Amino acid sequence: MVEKIRLRPLQTSDWAAFSEMRRDPVYRRTTGLAPCTDTAILQAEFAHLQARPETWAITRANIFVGFLQFSPWLGPDGLPDETSRNLDYLIIHSQWGKGYATAAVAQAIEKALSQFYLQALWAGVAGNNPASVKIMRHFSFQEQYTVSETPFSQISAPITYYQLKIN
């Protein structure tokens, strides 16, 4: 059984755990997200996430174990699609395999339905991240397409995009 997790707004007290998580080089292998060692950049990233109403800390007993966010999704015309969001999440490496991401995604889907009235969630998953692929399949996200390059970051493996139609 997964320990109960909760999504709540990011708090200043989450900074140290967030910073440690984003500095961890293991993320490069599974997300394509390069670790960051520049404190000023990390502080700006944290402040940006903290200011967004669609970003939450994933917590267990009110202790930060990761974060989850809805970010804008661009439609086929390259313009933001207000009916869809991209779902991003990161879990602290030492907390992997405990079901926290699955529980957080379940709560995110509920938020997409009840608070944001979205029609679809999208998620990009690196091909070398079988745990996230399993989560996508668990929640019936459908594979849509794969890219081997992205303008946003260097990626270590092709990224497959999954879609969950909500309405």
Side-chain angles (χ1 to χ4, degrees), residues 22 25 37 64 113 123-124 127 165-166:
R22 283 289 285 115
T37 57
F64 180 94
L113 284 166
K165 291 184 179 177
I166 298 175

Side-chain angles (χ1 to χ4, degrees), residues 5-71:
I5 64 111
R6 183 172 86 93
L7 300 181
R8 62 150 170 78
L10 280 171
Q11 300 173 350
T12 304
S13 60
D14 298 327
W15 161 249
F18 173 85
S19 175
E20 180 181 336
M21 178 181 68
R22 283 289 285 115
R23 292 173 191 269
D24 188 342
V26 75
Y27 288 103
R28 179 74 165 163
R29 291 193 311 255
T30 58
T31 66
L33 182 63
C36 182
T37 57
D38 185 314
T39 300
I41 291 172
L42 287 173
Q43 287 173 331
E45 180 182 343
F46 185 77
H48 172 76
L49 291 171
Q50 207 173 10
R52 293 188 72 248
E54 296 181 356
T55 301
W56 302 274
I58 302 169
T59 65
R60 177 187 42 78
N62 207 32
I63 297 170
F64 180 94
V65 297
F67 81 95
L68 180 143
Q69 71 172 338
F70 293 156
S71 56

